[in-house]
Amino acid sequence: MSGESFQVDLRGVVDLLARHLYSSPRVYLRELLQNGVDAITARRALAEGAPERIDLRPLPGGGLEVCDTGIGLTAADARELLATIGRSSKRDADLGGGREEFLGQFGIGLLSAFMVADEIDLVSRCARPGPEGQRSPAIRWRGFTDGRYELTELADDDPAIAVLEGAPGSAVRLVPRRDAEHWLAPDMVAALAEDFGGLLPVNVALEVRLDDGSLARRRLSGDELPWRVAYPNDAARTVALASYSERALGFTPLASIDVEIPIAGLTGVAFVLPAAVAPTSVAHHRVYLKRMLLSSGVTQVLPPWAFFVRCVLDASGLRPTASREGLYEDDLLLAAREALGERVRAWVLDTLTAGGPVARRFVEVHHLALRALALVDDEVLDLAVTTLPFESTVGAGTLRELAERAGDARLLFTRSLEEYRRIAAVAAHKGIVVVNGGYVYDADLLERAAARHRELGLAAAVADDIARTLDELEPVRELEILDAVVALRATLADQDCDILVRRYDPPELSAVLIDDRDGEHARAAHAEAATSDDVWGEILTGLTEPARPRRLILNDASATVRALLATRDGDVRDAATRSLYVTTVLASGLPLQTAEVTLMNESLSLLMERALGGDSTSTKDDR
């Protein structure tokens, strides 16, 4: 029979495969290898000792021949599999009990070759005997990109059968498209076959011509999964797995973690990255399905906190997506992800508990990952208290070490980097231990540590913690500057900033700006009460007068501050106060608001005018 047509629009199928199903034409070889492996699996179900071989042969003119020793096809098989794309066929049952034994779908797999070929020529002989026990005749199927195909049964003396060497199996010949020759080039075929089929248990080989003109088979597949290979000792295995990681993933791992999830038929290795990566980075893992590469960019196999590892996995129970380039998100994958995360977590706990060079290197490189995990895991948090370093006013140290340095005093922490910068200089001179909680995860982590490990005496820093440690002024000095302080407070009233004068080191530090979080909450409550119509709102408004959210603590040991407090020029005093306030805001790392920029410009303009000898008759009355 000849000149028949597909029951689908072949041009539309090819466009669907190329543009919407597969990410690249490179998968054509994976699909052909999958067909070959499925055919071999089916034949070995009939005859356990059947050969397991897939041969790749470059052809003159740039074509490619893919031969397998599988079960082969009858004419009915070919018509069923190739003319009804995407539909289950009775051959599923004929092959031995369901699709779970096989990698792909024969029809889609073969037609994917049209992404790189203008013509597909399939010669096949079925290993199953015919209806009366006789040998099944060989068939030839030729498909063309215009939607036609030819299907014929071949006589035993037909020259086309020679490619099968008298044995059951299939041979697929591809005639390259004009713009796709490079996909069928021998070097490209070898690279694709090694990438997709390097872990297949069948013998995949490329026919190569040696310098003397003879032909040889270059094997491209392995005999065993790299993590299942037996080694004389653990050290040799560690070296071998590190070498495999270099080849497969491109890096030498800090450590390797064996993983096995029987419920998903999953085994493999999680490799710990040797360098830090951003917590927001997307982890891509190399996943095989029944030892055929699914993708090197699978992202769903680990929980987000485990961004410091990259996996190489082989699974038999997980479901692939339609393109077989990812995993289908179902309950089994969710369970596998949770189990894999638990295995990585167990390694982290065991490694940190044991200590040693690997533990120290892991904390040094992947402290962000450890912080992320400690946020959701109490056991890891307990270890983090004694292993994770934190920046503080007395140097870096673990929370346990910093608590010991704080002694009987409370161990304080800030919730932001800006807050830490404001008080660090003063706290360091006063010997107050303040931990910087402004980096990624640290504020939440310190909150959790404070609640779980009360013995540390860890607490969030508030304005009074710093102000209380600064030296009070002598009563005489307090009276001397009282009027000036009142004037300064009035100057910054519109900034919701209070002013205190204290004496502290270093004298070069003119002022410290501190946020009063309790004051912020009190003012919010006061504002809400003021808008309330009930009696209690009126009572609360009358009883509570909240502190201002910010406090500018001036240093009376600073010559600049003493000059500011002593000036009788009201305009200069106001301008200098506003400039000092904006300067402390900048020093804390906060971005300036528009109003603060305007404040700074106006203040500097006045000060420069006075310094350059401008009109001084517009001074305010002495206050």
Side-chain angles (χ1 to χ4, degrees), residues 388-470:
L388 273 178
F390 288 86
E391 179 184 353
S392 82
T393 52
V394 293
T398 66
L399 292 180
R400 188 74 66 190
E401 293 169 345
L402 296 176
E404 292 175 358
R405 294 191 194 182
D408 295 333
R410 288 198 304 171
L411 176 62
L412 304 177
F413 70 89
T414 62
R415 296 179 178 87
S416 69
L417 183 59
E418 293 80 9
E419 189 178 359
Y420 179 78
R421 286 172 176 169
R422 291 176 200 154
I423 65 176
V426 174
H429 275 274
K430 299 296 292 187
I432 304 170
V433 184
V434 181
V435 180
N436 182 4
Y439 296 116
V440 178
Y441 303 126
D442 281 358
D444 293 336
L445 184 58
L446 290 166
E447 292 277 7
R448 289 199 74 222
R452 183 170 174 82
H453 291 273
R454 298 187 181 279
E455 75 280 2
L456 296 175
L458 186 62
V462 295
D464 284 345
D465 288 319
I466 302 301
R468 208 179 288 124
T469 63
L470 305 180

Side-chain angles (χ1 to χ4, degrees), residues 12 90 210 365 391 399 449 474:
K90 74 180 187 66
L210 303 179
V365 174
E391 179 184 353
L399 292 180
E474 294 290 333

Side-chain angles (χ1 to χ4, degrees), residues 273-606:
L273 291 168
V277 292
T280 55
S281 62
V282 178
H284 294 97
H285 307 282
R286 192 173 180 86
V287 177
Y288 293 79
L289 189 64
K290 300 182 182 73
R291 299 181 64 163
M292 174 73 77
L293 179 67
L294 191 69
S295 173
S296 57
V298 178
T299 60
Q300 319 112 291
V301 298
L302 281 176
W305 57 259
F307 56 84
F308 58 94
V309 298
R310 298 292 182 269
C311 294
V312 180
L313 306 172
D314 178 56
S316 60
L318 299 179
R319 292 172 56 196
T321 58
S323 66
R324 291 187 290 283
E325 295 179 308
L327 292 172
Y328 186 78
E329 193 83 23
D330 57 12
D331 290 342
L332 185 57
L333 179 58
L334 292 175
R337 181 187 302 138
E338 183 177 346
L340 283 169
E342 180 57 33
R343 181 67 193 91
V344 174
R345 171 187 175 274
W347 177 86
V348 171
L349 289 172
D350 292 345
T351 301
L352 294 182
T353 301
V358 174
R360 289 192 294 272
R361 181 61 179 162
F362 176 73
V363 172
E364 177 185 344
V365 174
H366 296 299
H367 63 92
L368 279 181
L370 189 54
R371 283 170 159 81
L373 184 53
L375 284 178
V376 298
D377 192 297
D378 287 343
E379 284 188 76
V380 177
L381 176 62
D382 294 340
L383 281 171
V385 166
T386 58
T387 57
L388 273 178
F390 288 86
E391 179 184 353
S392 82
T393 52
V394 293
T398 66
L399 292 180
R400 188 74 66 190
E401 293 169 345
L402 296 176
E404 292 175 358
R405 294 191 194 182
D408 295 333
R410 288 198 304 171
L411 176 62
L412 304 177
F413 70 89
T414 62
R415 296 179 178 87
S416 69
L417 183 59
E418 293 80 9
E419 189 178 359
Y420 179 78
R421 286 172 176 169
R422 291 176 200 154
I423 65 176
V426 174
H429 275 274
K430 299 296 292 187
I432 304 170
V433 184
V434 181
V435 180
N436 182 4
Y439 296 116
V440 178
Y441 303 126
D442 281 358
D444 293 336
L445 184 58
L446 290 166
E447 292 277 7
R448 289 199 74 222
R452 183 170 174 82
H453 291 273
R454 298 187 181 279
E455 75 280 2
L456 296 175
L458 186 62
V462 295
D464 284 345
D465 288 319
I466 302 301
R468 208 179 288 124
T469 63
L470 305 180
D471 295 335
E472 297 276 354
L473 301 183
E474 294 290 333
V476 173
R477 178 60 177 165
E478 290 272 12
L479 290 173
E480 182 182 331
I481 64 173
L482 179 59
D483 291 341
V485 172
V486 170
L488 297 185
R489 285 174 175 165
T491 300
L492 292 184
D494 59 344
Q495 302 299 317
D496 253 358
C497 182
D498 196 7
I499 287 184
L500 297 176
V501 182
R502 295 289 186 267
R503 195 174 183 86
Y504 50 87
D505 290 326
E508 296 79 18
L509 186 63
S510 299
V512 175
L513 184 66
I514 298 177
D515 271 340
D516 186 348
R517 290 180 178 269
D518 293 337
E520 290 178 357
H521 295 317
R523 289 182 69 81
H526 188 271
E528 185 175 349
T531 59
S532 176
D533 294 331
D534 58 33
V535 176
W536 283 109
E538 295 178 6
I539 294 174
L540 290 173
T541 302
L543 291 178
T544 60
E545 183 59 39
R548 297 190 184 278
R550 287 180 173 179
R551 296 186 190 180
L552 184 65
I553 304 180
L554 302 180
N555 185 5
D556 199 46
S558 164
T560 300
V561 171
R562 294 182 73 87
L564 173 65
L565 294 170
T567 185
R568 300 182 64 81
D569 186 331
D571 287 338
V572 170
R573 180 177 57 216
D574 290 350
T577 302
R578 293 190 177 105
S579 296
L580 191 58
Y581 166 73
V582 177
T583 300
T584 58
V585 172
L586 285 171
S588 68
L590 287 172
L592 293 183
Q593 304 300 318
T594 302
E596 292 168 338
V597 173
T598 302
L599 198 70
M600 173 64 90
N601 290 336
E602 292 175 351
S603 300
L604 286 178
S605 295
L606 187 143

